[in-house]
Amino acid sequence: MTPDDVRRREHRERREAERAARHATRAGRHSERDTQRADRREVLLDAAINGIRKHGQSASMDVLAAEAGITKPILYRHFGDRAGLVDAIAERFADALQADLVAALGQKAVHNRTLLVNTIEAFVGYIEKDPALYRFLISEGGTETSAVSLTGILEQISNNVALVIGQQMRDAGRDSGGAEVIARGVVAFVYAAGDWWVDRRTMPRDQLVTYMADFLWSGFDGQANEGTNQS
Amino acid sequence: MTPDDVRRREHRERREAERAARHATRAGRHSERDTQRADRREVLLDAAINGIRKHGQSASMDVLAAEAGITKPILYRHFGDRAGLVDAIAERFADALQADLVAALGQKAVHNRTLLVNTIEAFVGYIEKDPALYRFLISEGGTETSAVSLTGILEQISNNVALVIGQQMRDAGRDSGGAEVIARGVVAFVYAAGDWWVDRRTMPRDQLVTYMADFLWSGFDGQANEGTNQS
DNA sequence: GTTGACTGTTACTAGCCGTAACGTTACGGT
DNA sequence: ACCGTAACGTTACGGCTAGTAACAGTCAAC
C-alpha cells in the first residue's frame, strides 16, 4: 500500500530475479543444487509454519528461524523478506484450499444450492483445520498485494463469485452492476462468520454451514418468509 | 489477545485509575486543571487524527506527537499507550457513528427494509467520510478487545443485528440459533463491501447501498427470482 | 584442486514503542 | 504572598523487531 512497502517488495523481487538469472545461464536441467535448495526451502517453510502454530500470529523472524534450528539471515536468504515468507506460506495454503475448492465445485450435475454449501464447507474447513495459520495470514496480509497473499486469494475467490453472481443476475433479467460488490460482501460474510465460529465452536460445523447457506440463499426476506415486500 | 497485550492494557488502566483516584480525593466539582487537561486531550486527539489522515494508518507515535507540535512522552501521559490513543479515537468515531445509527433506526413507523437501507447508509457514510481514519481503526483494532475499539463497536452492532435477526427468525417459526453467526456475517458483508467500494468509487453511494440492501434482503434465491428450490 | 555458490554464524543498523530522569510553568490551598 | 504539586515539556535511553553486512566452513562442478 504505502510507497515504502512497494520499494521493499521490488527489492526482494529483484534479488530473487537475480538468483533466477544466475541459474538461467546454466539453464536446461536443474543441477542437484537447485533441488537441494528447494528441499531446504520446504523444510524451512514447514518449520516456520510450526513456529506460527506454536507462537501465534506475531511470531518474530528470530523465533521462526530458531524453530528450524537456524538463524535469521538464512531465512532471509530463502524468502528475502517477511512478506516473502508470508507469500510462501500463503501459496501453500492457497494451493491446498483451491484443490479443495475445485473439488467442491467440480460436481457439475448438482444443484446450485448444493454447490454453495460445498464451497462454504470447503472454506470453513480450511479455517478450522489450522486457525493459527489462517489468522497469521489474515493479520499479515494487510500490507501485501501479492497474488498469492491471503488477501490475494480472497480477491480471486471474490472474482469467481462475482462471475457466478453476475450471471445469475443477468439470467434473472436484473442489473448485474452490483455483482462485484456483492461478491466481496459474500466472501467477507463467510470469512467473518467462520472466524467468529472457530473461536467458540457453539455448534457443529455442518450446522454453521447450513445456517450460512440458508441465509445467503434466502436473505432476510426469506427468513421472514413473507416474500412480497419491496422498497 | 496475547498475555503480553493484556499486561500492557492492565498497566495503562492502572495508571489511569491512579490519576482518577488522585482527583477523586478532592472530589466534587472539577477544578480548572481538569478541564484544561481535558481540553488539551481533545486538541492532541484532533492533531493525532489529522496526522493519521496525513501519514496513513501506520503513522508512528513520534509523527502523531509532532503533528500536535509536541513530543512523544506527552502523548503517552495523556493516552498511556498506543492502544489508549486508538481507543480514544475509536470512542470519538463510535459516538458519531452511533448518533447517526440511532437516528437511522429511530424512525419507528417505516418499513423494515427501509430500516435496513438507512442503517447501511449510515455505516457506509461513515466509511466514506474518513477512509484513512477508518482503516487506521481497523488495522489497529486487531489486538484490542476494549469496548470502544472499532472491533468492539462492530461487535456491538453485530449483537444488535443478531437481536433483530433472531426475532425475525423466531417470528417466522424458524430456528434462531444461527442469528449470532449470521449477524457477524452481515456486518462483515457491509463493512467489506464498503471498504472495497471506497477505494474505487465505481458507483454513487446510493446505488451501492441499494445493491447491498437488495442482496441482503433477497439473497441469492431472490436474485434468481425462482424462489422454490430447496436443498 | 580450484572455483563458486550455498550453509551458517555473529554483530551490526535503523526504526518503533515505551520510559526514566530531568527542568519549567502555573494552579490552588493555606 | 507562598509553597506544594501536578501539569507541560524536553532529551536520552532500553528493548524489541525487521533487515543487513561481513566473515568462515562445506561441498558440488569443472
Side-chain angles (χ1 to χ4, degrees), chain A residues 147-167:
Chain A
V148 293
S149 72
L150 219 202
T151 55
I153 299 167
L154 291 178
E155 183 76 14
Q156 273 181 266
I157 296 179
S158 294
N159 286 334
N160 289 336
V161 174
L163 254 52
V164 175
I165 294 179
Q167 193 56 50

Side-chain angles (χ1 to χ4, degrees), chain A residues 23 33 40 71 73-74 77:
Chain A
H23 280 261
R33 279 247 167 87
R40 190 89 183 107
T71 50
I74 322 170
R77 277 218 269 265

Side-chain angles (χ1 to χ4, degrees), chain A residues 42-77:
Chain A
E42 291 306 304
V43 172
L44 297 186
L45 208 50
D46 283 336
I49 290 174
N50 268 328
I52 290 161
R53 282 199 262 259
K54 214 189 286 182
H55 298 96
Q57 58 185 22
S58 62
S60 77
M61 293 298 271
D62 272 307
V63 167
L64 263 32
E67 197 70 24
I70 55 166
T71 50
K72 241 189 325 175
I74 322 170
L75 216 54
Y76 277 93
R77 277 218 269 265

Side-chain angles (χ1 to χ4, degrees), chain A residues 146-210:
Chain A
S146 156
V148 293
S149 72
L150 219 202
T151 55
I153 299 167
L154 291 178
E155 183 76 14
Q156 273 181 266
I157 296 179
S158 294
N159 286 334
N160 289 336
V161 174
L163 254 52
V164 175
I165 294 179
Q167 193 56 50
Q168 206 168 128
M169 283 170 143
R170 274 187 295 277
D171 286 353
R174 297 170 112 277
D175 172 18
S176 70
E180 279 190 296
V181 185
I182 300 300
R184 260 78 196 173
V186 170
V187 172
F189 183 107
V190 175
Y191 139 67
D195 198 50
W196 183 83
W197 168 77
V198 85
D199 264 0
R200 345 225 154 188
R201 300 293 176 84
T202 50
M203 63 189 80
R205 189 177 72 193
D206 302 15
Q207 196 170 12
L208 170 76
V209 174
T210 304

Side-chain angles (χ1 to χ4, degrees), chain B residues 31-42 78:
Chain B
S31 60
E32 176 108 358
R33 280 241 168 97
D34 285 333
T35 72
Q36 271 190 2
R37 178 178 173 86
D39 288 353
R40 190 87 183 109
R41 189 184 153 106
E42 291 306 303
H78 274 276

